[in-house]
Amino acid sequence: MLEPLSRDVGRSIESPPRPRTERTGQTTGVAVSSESSLARALVELADTLVDDFDVVDLLTHLADRCVEVLDVSAAGIMLVAPDGSLRVAASSSEEMRLLELFELQADDGPCLECLQTGGAVFGPDLDHAEARWPRFAPEARAAGFRAAQALPLRLRGMVLGALNLFHSEPGGLSESDLVAGQALADIATIALLQHRAAQHAQQINEQLNHALNSRISIEQAKGVTAERLGVDMDDAFRHLRTYARNHNLRLADVANDVIAGTVTTDLFGAVTHQWIGYDTNTSRGFVSVCSCGWRSPAMPSAGLAAAAAESHCSES
Amino acid sequence: MPDDRRMRILGQLAGIDGADMQPQRVCELSAELTGVTGAGIMLLSPDRPLGSIGATDDVVATLARLQHDLGEGPAVDAYQDQASVQVPDLAEDGRRRWVAFCGPAIDAGASAVFAFPLQIGAVRLGAVHLYRGASGALNTEQLADGMVLADIAAQSLLVTQSGVPSGELALEVRRSGDFQLVVHQAAGMVSVQLGTSVAEALVRIRARAFAEGRPVQDLARDVVARRLRFSAEEPD
């Protein structure tokens, strides 16, 4: 039962890196922000986790696996709660002394340090770690441990928690066990993410369908607009967007109206250029607005803004 | 309940710089573990195929496009029947099942096709579809891995899309996706040319492409570039 896991974990790490450069090369700020909201959602999960049998079960299974596979004496998985504190999510043993060791790390210890640095933390000899971890080191020693480690639960640049490993002998993990340990920490991260997603499956799927259908509607509406106005797709999109903005409507709703043929107002009429008035919502100066959606730059006086509009309307 | 197969596969998804569950990676691993040539994910809805993501090669992309255009094929069946689809010899067993899909699929390079539904409880998202360049069935292990991977793919897709603002698509979905947008643009244009609904225009575009034996996307590109017009008078 143990063989396949340790072998496969090793193999996945030893295999050559995947060609991910071309993908990460295109990564923009959007990816980062969607990742952060995902991470935030996960942090919320940590709060409710103790009530959920299945995830605790899976994480406990992982903690047990660490003890079996990595040659450590005890293992625990700690997660960051919404208030930033560390909570025990799973442990390879329910022994009170061990659980207290996890709790203790709110003040100092490898897990706290792991969260702060974002990297793996080693305490190879707890006999000489009192300066580093004044509360944790003596307690861990009293519980019979001589070395401690923490590996981060990583999600692209964020740390969601830590895998805490204890040894009854001084010294840390071997190089290959360290690699396997990090892989186990990554599995814990994936399991947490998937659990969260499964809980909201219905809602996310509806959202996904809605987003895809909106995209399709917008493309179809661009086609209708392009054909009716004799413009290309980019211009068609600009017309739709301007119309939506001017009428304070959502783009997807305008697109659906266009497809249904219920947009009868100025979208498909001849494009008219007529000075409508000033935009009173801007504090930067006087801005003229044309019926085509055009807006003048901010001007120091109403007269200058009107003149800019006049020149736009006569030239267009 | 934690099971060893799932653990092993999750372990293989755990990459060198943390958890990686992007659709592309899940498809690559699906192909690898089931010993097929290529894999992809089709997003489907009860009304229509929505698009494809994570295709590992051009053949898979073509198979997805065919199913998108024709509304039939292994992924469509897996989604509708909520069951896995296995056709180890497409030339032998596919023709009666998928009259329109089978020929072009073989021409594209598929000799065997398989599909697993993407489903979490009652929530149905689409299907993972796979092909082999040579005919041959999946063995029991590959089949079991394929099912677990489809399960993981469904969850990963939800993970990817969760936390994205309403009405928007996750970057990973957009980046690895093919949503046939040019076909929808063309449908909008043709609806005006013919004075029909957009849905009707979509049917006419697909029928004409099928009659002319060319990919719907090619024909759509011609419409958008104004090299091709539909007219109400001439039959198409």
Side-chain angles (χ1 to χ4, degrees), chain B residues 58-84:
Chain B
D58 289 347
V59 178
V60 176
T62 304
L63 295 179
R65 225 168 285 144
L66 283 170
Q67 295 183 74
H68 192 279
D69 295 347
L70 304 168
E72 67 170 35
V76 176
D77 280 5
Y79 174 79
Q80 280 170 356
D81 302 343
Q82 303 180 45
S84 67

Side-chain angles (χ1 to χ4, degrees), chain A residues 1 5 8 11-12 17-18 20 23 26-28 30-31 34-35 37-38 53 57-58 61-62 65 154 156 183 186-187 189-190 193-194 196-198 201-202 204-205 207-213 215-216 219-220 222-224 226-228 230-231 233 259, chain B residues 1-2 4 6-8 10-12 14-22 24-25 28 43 45 48 50 120 123-125 152 155-159 161-169 171-172 174-175 179 181 184-185 188-189 191-193 198 224 226 229:
Chain A
M1 189 172 144
L5 179 67
D8 282 315
R11 191 169 70 208
S12 80
R18 296 185 300 282
R20 45 167 60 245
R23 291 213 302 275
Q26 290 169 18
T27 304
T28 67
V30 182
S34 90
E35 286 299 338
S37 56
L38 188 58
F53 177 74
D57 202 38
L58 194 134
H61 188 75
L62 269 172
R65 277 305 178 86
R154 308 165 296 182
R156 289 171 214 156
D186 289 343
I187 294 175
T189 310
I190 298 177
L193 291 171
Q194 298 210 335
R196 196 259 164 191
Q202 183 72 42
I204 302 170
N205 189 35
Q207 202 245 341
L208 181 67
N209 273 307
H210 172 68
L212 280 169
N213 278 313
R215 191 67 248 168
I216 288 172
E219 297 308 321
Q220 293 177 342
K222 276 162 67 178
V224 171
E227 184 67 15
R228 292 189 64 164
V231 296
M233 290 299 158
I259 294 164
Chain B
M1 280 288 122
D4 290 336
R6 172 172 285 262
M7 288 287 200
R8 168 172 59 79
L10 286 176
Q12 281 172 289
I16 36 171
D17 57 351
D20 183 356
M21 294 170 297
Q22 296 191 39
Q24 187 82 45
R25 173 64 190 145
E28 283 166 11
L43 299 178
S45 75
R48 57 181 171 191
L50 295 169
I120 294 174
V123 178
R124 297 153 64 198
L125 300 113
I152 292 174
Q155 292 174 337
S156 303
L157 187 61
L158 294 177
V159 168
Q161 182 65 24
S162 69
V164 173
S166 175
E168 287 177 29
L169 281 178
L171 190 74
E172 291 87 344
R174 263 185 291 150
R175 206 192 294 147
F179 302 107
L181 298 182
H184 292 290
Q185 293 171 357
M189 293 178 70
S191 75
V192 177
Q193 293 167 7
V198 174
V224 169
R226 297 197 158 86
R229 285 186 65 85

